[in-house]
Amino acid sequence: MRLSVRSNPWQFLKFSAVGGLNTVVDFTVFFLLSSAGLPYMAAQLLSYSCGVANSYVWNSRFTFKAEGGMKAFVKFIGVNLFTLIITTALLIGSVETAGLPVLPAKAAATLGGLFINYGLSRWWVFSSH
């Protein structure tokens, strides 16, 4: 199976639209929690989890139109845990090493996870659909 965005641009656009919604959920929760004084790493874990829950519902029903069940859900969680590790490493590197402000660093980390998440979701999680 090809992972190229060109092989199914409509699906990638739908995935990106869902990702935009997830980003709104993620950033809103992150902003509220970090503004309330929660350390940014704790805010990252909680806000990302909210985005993942939203993502599974919309991607399974809208983007990939897959019933998938528990097996697909477990795979989806695995993909998103992997993406969380990557985006968290990018966030830490951007804030602690590069000295970027937290919100722009969060934006850069989120963008960095987009293609990894799409490729693995399409190729592994929802591949039979």
Side-chain angles (χ1 to χ4, degrees), residues 18 21-23 25 49-59:
V18 170
L21 180 59
N22 300 335
T23 301
V25 169
S49 297
C50 291
V52 167
N54 184 70
S55 181
Y56 182 76
V57 169
W58 284 102
N59 278 314

Side-chain angles (χ1 to χ4, degrees), residues 5-19:
V5 171
R6 287 181 280 156
S7 66
N8 197 337
W10 180 242
Q11 188 177 62
F12 181 75
L13 287 173
K14 291 194 301 185
F15 185 85
S16 296
V18 170

Side-chain angles (χ1 to χ4, degrees), residues 25-94:
V25 169
D26 183 7
F27 271 69
T28 301
V29 173
F30 183 83
F31 176 76
L32 293 172
L33 293 174
S34 60
S35 294
L38 197 65
Y40 76 90
M41 290 308 300
Q44 165 72 356
L45 293 172
L46 292 170
S47 68
Y48 189 85
S49 297
C50 291
V52 167
N54 184 70
S55 181
Y56 182 76
V57 169
W58 284 102
N59 278 314
S60 64
R61 294 182 180 154
F62 173 67
T63 305
F64 299 104
K65 296 180 182 171
E67 291 292 323
M70 185 56 73
K71 184 177 179 181
F73 181 71
V74 170
K75 286 180 175 182
F76 191 81
I77 295 299
V79 165
N80 280 280
L81 286 173
F82 177 72
T83 305
L84 175 63
I85 291 167
I86 299 299
T87 58
T88 300
L90 290 170
L91 182 61
I92 291 169
S94 297

Side-chain angles (χ1 to χ4, degrees), residues 1-9 12 118 122:
M1 170 179 279
R2 292 182 53 192
L3 293 180
S4 171
V5 171
R6 287 181 280 156
S7 66
N8 197 337
F12 181 75
Y118 174 71
R122 182 171 174 223

